[in-house]
Every structure is written in C-alpha cells, then in structure tokens.
Amino acid sequence: MQNAMQMGKGPVPVSRPLTLRGPCGRCPSGAGMLELPFLPFCALLGGLGVACVAFVSAWCQQWRGGFAWDGSARMFNWHPVLMVTGLVVLYGAAALVYRLPFSWRGPKLPWKVLHGALALAAFCLAVPGLVAVFSFHDARGTPNMYSLHSWLGLATVLLFSCQWLAGFASFLLPWAPAWLRALYKPVHVFFGSTILMLAVASCVSGINEKLFFSLHLLLAAPSLQGHLEEAGCSARAGGQMGTGRPRSSVTGHQDSGVVPVTAREAATSQPRVACGRAGLPWAR
C-alpha cells in the first residue's frame, strides 16, 4: 500500500471477511452458520415451555394425587409446578426479551419494563413454591435441607432475588449513572445466564429426586408387609393413638388386622409411619 501511494495511485483497498448481520444491520449472525427464522423459533420455544408446565401439572394431578394447601402430599405438588412455571418458563422468556428483533430499535424502556415484569412474576411464583415444600416438610417432620437439590434450589432463588434487585436499581431507576450501567451490564448478563442454568438443573434434579423416592416405595412394597409383621408395627396402631380401633400403619385406614400392601397402594398412599421411619425423607 505504501508503494502504491508513493507511485501516486492512492491507497489499495484491503479485502475484509464478509460478516452476515441480523435484521438490525449491526448484530452479526455468524457466517457459514445455519440461520433459522427467529420468530418461528421463539414460538417453538414458547410452545415447549407451555408443554413443560402442562406435563408437570398433569403428572402431579393424575399420578401424584392432585393439589391442596393443607400440609399433605398434595400441597407438595404445588412445588414442582410453580418452580417450573416461574424459574424455567417465565425466567427463560425474560431472558429472551432482548433477543427479539423488535427490541433492537426504538426506546429501551418498554423492553426493560417487560424484562423486569417477567422476572418479577417468576419470583412471585417461586415464593409460594418454596412455602409449599417447607410447609409440607414441617408438617411431616422431614428435614428441609437434606439433599443437593434442596441447596441448589435455595441458592438459585437467593441469587435470582439479588439479580432482580441489582438490575432494578441499575437499569430502571432514573438516578443510576451511565458509567454504572455500562460497568454492571456484562455482570448482569453473565449471572442471568448462570441463574437460568441453575434453575434448569434444580428442576431436573428435583423431579429425578421425587422419581427416586417413588421408585424406592414401589420396589419396597412387596417386602414392606413382611417387615411390618416382623417388627410388630401393625399391632393395633390405632388403639395406641387413642382411637380405640386398630389402624394400619401403612395406609392409615381403620382395620381389624393387617391390610395387604400392593405396589400401587404403596406408591399412592404416601406412607410415613413405619417402624420409626417417619423422619426419613423418602417416606414422602
């Protein structure tokens, strides 16, 4: 180029690699990569989110006994539904707000409000979800924080609440200086993605944990009756409780003798009193 300029021919243009850009003209979409229609792909993600909520709700309604708010196992069923709806579906939708092409132009305030409102709605669903599981554990005398899922889920909710407060103070309040917003923005994006992955991991580990508990009861059902007879736990449990009539220690129904326990009964009756095992977390 210097030789060309010295000869009076002017600067020689330098070829640059072509970069494909998005609809806004400034967002690279990646050369050589498969481009998918963005809006139909977002609609597909929204449909998958609705399907997740529908499947978890059907699982709790049809196979876990339904819903209630009385400290029973049906109260626990609110926990997976509210957590999946809030921390996975709504929080995932909040994370995708700034990926919409409509948010690339024009004022940012409406999109900030939508992003914060979706995150706040997710938090409002997570709080009663935690109340449901803690109240259920307290009613049954089960320890609250006894597994990796418990600590992972609690850490996710705490980080999520701190993330929302910091984002609200930095991006929505008018007195936040521009340098503070520019400094905190990459931190906010990083922790937003991290918390979303933690939320997905918490939900998957929690559903698997509940599945393991149910399978434990299902596999233990054929030999459970023999253990009860050997330990004498089925001898007039109702009379010991002051009812005057014997009560089965597994099903809790009044009976004059031992009630045979099938696999389905063990999976649906949620036994909690069996030879001093009331405090074990799997007896949920």
Side-chain angles (χ1 to χ4, degrees):
M1 181 182 293
Q2 292 180 356
N3 295 333
M5 293 179 64
Q6 292 175 358
M7 296 174 61
K9 297 182 180 180
V12 178
V14 179
S15 61
R16 297 179 179 179
L18 178 62
T19 302
L20 299 180
R21 299 185 178 273
C24 62
R26 57 186 176 88
C27 302
S29 59
M33 296 179 62
L34 178 62
E35 297 187 14
L36 298 176
F38 187 79
L39 292 181
F41 192 69
C42 286
L44 175 62
L45 292 179
L48 291 177
V50 174
C52 288
V53 176
F55 286 146
V56 175
S57 301
W59 171 54
C60 293
Q61 178 66 37
Q62 299 295 329
W63 286 277
R64 303 302 308 171
F67 302 93
W69 200 266
D70 53 1
S72 64
R74 294 186 299 169
M75 183 177 181
F76 176 85
N77 291 336
W78 285 110
H79 177 69
V81 174
L82 293 177
M83 288 303 185
V84 170
T85 305
L87 292 183
V88 175
V89 178
L90 290 182
Y91 188 33
L96 289 177
V97 164
Y98 291 108
R99 298 296 184 266
L100 294 175
F102 312 109
S103 65
W104 297 342
R105 298 177 181 177
K108 298 295 184 180
L109 182 60
W111 303 104
K112 291 181 180 180
V113 173
L114 178 60
H115 177 76
L118 289 174
L120 181 61
F123 180 76
C124 292
L125 291 179
V127 170
L130 290 179
V131 172
V133 66
F134 284 138
S135 299
F136 168 73
H137 286 167
D138 293 340
R140 301 178 69 89
T142 303
N144 287 315
M145 311 300 295
Y146 61 83
S147 65
L148 177 63
H149 164 70
S150 303
W151 289 102
L152 185 62
L154 184 61
T156 301
V157 174
L158 292 178
L159 288 175
F160 178 79
S161 59
C162 295
Q163 170 85 345
W164 191 91
L165 290 175
F168 178 79
S170 301
F171 300 114
L172 285 178
L173 295 182
W175 57 72
W179 65 267
L180 178 61
R181 297 181 180 182
L183 181 64
Y184 176 66
K185 182 179 178 180
V187 179
H188 185 77
V189 173
F190 170 77
F191 276 100
S193 302
T194 303
I195 294 171
L196 181 59
M197 290 187 292
L198 288 176
V200 174
S202 300
C203 291
V204 172
S205 63
I207 293 176
N208 285 332
E209 181 181 284
K210 191 64 177 179
L211 176 62
F212 294 154
F213 292 158
S214 301
L215 290 178
H216 183 92
L217 294 175
L218 188 64
L219 296 176
S223 60
L224 182 59
Q225 187 63 47
H227 290 301
L228 294 179
E229 293 178 353
E230 292 175 4
C233 295
S234 60
R236 304 297 183 266
Q240 296 174 4
M241 298 175 58
T243 58
R245 296 185 63 183
R247 185 180 298 271
S248 172
S249 59
V250 177
T251 60
H253 299 296
Q254 292 179 350
D255 191 10
S256 58
V258 178
V259 178
V261 180
T262 63
R264 182 175 181 83
E265 289 173 350
T268 58
S269 60
Q270 302 294 329
R272 62 175 289 216
V273 180
C275 302
R277 298 181 181 179
L280 291 179
W282 60 264
R284 299 199 302 187

